[in-house]
Amino acid sequence: MEIKWAMAIDLDRCTGCGACVVACVAENNIPVVGEAEVEKGRLMQWIRVARYWEGEYPEAQAVYLPVPCMQCERAPCETVCPVYATYHNEDGLNAMVYNRCVGTRYCANNCPYSVRVFNWFDHVWEKPLDEQLSPDLTTRSRGVMEKCTFCIQRIRRAKETAAEEGREIRDGEAVPACVQTCPPGALLFGNVADPHSEIARKLKDPRRFRLMEHLGTEPRVVYLKRQKGAGR
Amino acid sequence: MARRPINAAITLACLVLTLFLFPCAASAETVPQPIAFSHRIHVTEYKLNCRFCHSSTNKSQFANLPPVEKCMMCHRTIATEKPEVKKVARYWSEKKPIPWNKVIDVPNHVYFPHRKMVNAGIACLTCHPGMDQAGTAEQKLEFGMGFCMECHRKKKVSIDCWTCHY
């Protein structure tokens, strides 16, 4: 079966709690850089919850927009990498190969969503925090670009289990950490190539839109618009 | 006659070199271990399956080292008088794991699931040649990406970068 991973983010459900960010940091061995580095714009989070304000005080309302890597079908980051460290893989994901990266940072410069983060230092996890590092993926070293992978290690595990049991991967079997943890269930992940999957149904929602669609990057992350009206 | 001291010097130099080089070469191959465990005796002579001791190779990403308990399954009654076995028994009575030194280190940027290889029917000796004749573990093949790719291409399995590097 053909696989085309995609993510849907329902803005009606998102409360801006930031649980997705925490889950991502814990799952993907993302270093905590500290206040001084964050001030220099070197925050390492792979998903951010952007906050916007609607209306004027006292009627102001916050609008939250979780922004992971869009896994663009026509990714601007891929074309500028001089060493092919970032490329499009067979599942339609925008892959990032750390051991190939030489740290030119062209990709981050070319990303319209600013979701790529750079390792300015070799990060150390002080004891006992090193005990919680995931052995399933690399701890990136200094001079390497990194970004959201849709939790490729979880996708791999699901695929391996399916292969060992001699069947196709089931809908909802591969779940990124952010999707799994989202308390109001605003995030949904799945294979759009499978017409019976939950995500394929969700993406038919008339509320759908994609971030900066006019750029023609064809993102794989689809947002569902917040609706206005009674009870909202 | 004038040549003689030069000859002597060359001979001496050769001697010193052989003395220096050979132990170095040998120590680069074999990693010192707390117990002189022999793979040859267990695997070749007593025909034990590799997976009898390294039992998680078909279940896990990692090929485990057996716990002391596994050694003592047999060595409570077999060859108890041998000095090396006595060392095992000491660890057992002290309730301490044997501090084996790592021989093969998979780099951090490689995801290598043993279970995928073992379940695909790849023999252990494909990547660990001569282990059945070795004393303590030694790795004779150098693992470069070319070594992996050769097999992956031949068997037509994925050669996507993200299969192993993420």
Side-chain angles (χ1 to χ4, degrees), chain A residues 148-161:
Chain A
C148 161
T149 62
F150 272 180
C151 284
I152 182 66
Q153 68 280 11
R154 286 169 170 236
I155 296 176
R156 272 283 304 202
R157 180 155 293 184
K159 274 187 174 179
E160 274 175 22
T161 316

Side-chain angles (χ1 to χ4, degrees), chain A residues 138-155:
Chain A
T138 320
T139 46
R140 281 77 54 184
S141 51
R142 180 182 158 212
V144 169
M145 190 59 74
E146 60 183 65
K147 64 158 196 87
C148 161
T149 62
F150 272 180
C151 284
I152 182 66
Q153 68 280 11
R154 286 169 170 236
I155 296 176

Side-chain angles (χ1 to χ4, degrees), chain B:
Chain B
M1 290 304 275
R3 278 213 180 144
R4 213 171 265 164
I6 299 170
N7 281 351
I10 289 171
T11 330
L12 202 89
C14 285
L15 245 167
V16 170
L17 266 176
T18 33
L19 275 175
F20 265 93
L21 283 180
F22 281 87
C24 282
S27 65
E29 267 175 28
T30 48
V31 179
Q33 300 291 1
I35 293 172
F37 173 85
S38 170
H39 278 84
R40 189 184 54 79
I41 291 173
H42 291 82
V43 180
T44 309
E45 284 184 27
Y46 292 111
K47 307 262 180 282
L48 284 183
N49 192 309
C50 307
R51 274 169 48 197
F52 180 76
C53 298
H54 302 286
S55 55
S56 73
T57 42
N58 66 331
K59 299 181 212 106
S60 160
Q61 178 182 343
F62 304 100
N64 66 309
L65 288 178
V68 186
E69 198 179 0
K70 187 59 101 21
C71 309
M72 291 306 284
M73 264 170 77
C74 301
H75 285 299
R76 239 180 288 224
T77 49
I78 298 170
T80 48
E81 290 313 302
K82 298 255 174 78
E84 295 301 305
V85 175
K86 276 184 178 165
K87 283 189 201 167
V88 180
R90 200 182 312 137
Y91 284 113
W92 172 247
S93 60
E94 285 172 6
K95 292 191 169 42
K96 277 186 186 153
I98 305 171
W100 298 110
N101 292 314
K102 202 162 193 174
V103 178
I104 307 158
D105 199 15
V106 182
N108 188 249
H109 60 263
V110 180
Y111 169 69
F112 179 81
H114 267 90
R115 62 176 184 158
K116 286 294 274 184
M117 311 297 144
V118 173
N119 291 338
I122 312 286
C124 307
L125 291 178
T126 317
C127 303
H128 308 292
M131 197 63 101
D132 55 343
Q133 298 298 331
T136 51
E138 52 188 73
Q139 183 56 33
K140 294 201 170 129
L141 255 180
E142 202 185 324
F143 298 126
M145 199 170 93
F147 174 73
C148 305
M149 291 294 269
E150 207 177 290
C151 211
H152 269 232
R153 284 213 176 91
K154 216 181 285 166
K155 294 192 183 293
K156 300 218 166 19
V157 280
S158 176
I159 53 165
D160 180 22
C161 307
W162 249 5
T163 304
C164 308
H165 303 296
Y166 50 78

Side-chain angles (χ1 to χ4, degrees), chain A residues 8-80:
Chain A
I9 299 176
D10 193 336
L11 297 183
D12 242 350
R13 290 192 176 195
C14 179
T15 61
C17 68
C20 48
V21 181
V22 177
C24 179
V25 168
E27 170 74 22
N28 291 300
N29 300 345
I30 300 173
V32 176
V33 291
E35 207 174 333
E37 288 298 303
V38 172
E39 276 174 8
K40 292 179 195 162
R42 294 174 180 177
L43 188 62
M44 300 277 300
Q45 289 162 359
W46 288 3
I47 180 170
R48 66 172 187 270
V49 181
R51 187 189 60 196
Y52 300 93
W53 292 104
E54 253 181 10
E56 288 293 320
Y57 181 82
E59 268 81 46
Q61 202 182 7
V63 181
Y64 301 102
L65 188 78
V67 189
C69 170
M70 297 287 137
Q71 311 284 349
C72 309
E73 206 41 16
R74 297 175 62 202
C77 55
E78 287 169 15
T79 49
V80 290

Side-chain angles (χ1 to χ4, degrees), chain A residues 165-191:
Chain A
E165 290 171 10
R167 56 173 173 81
E168 298 280 1
I169 191 164
R170 288 193 203 111
D171 189 28
E173 209 175 3
V175 184
C178 54
V179 177
Q180 187 186 14
T181 205
C182 183
L187 279 65
L188 183 70
F189 180 79
N191 177 14

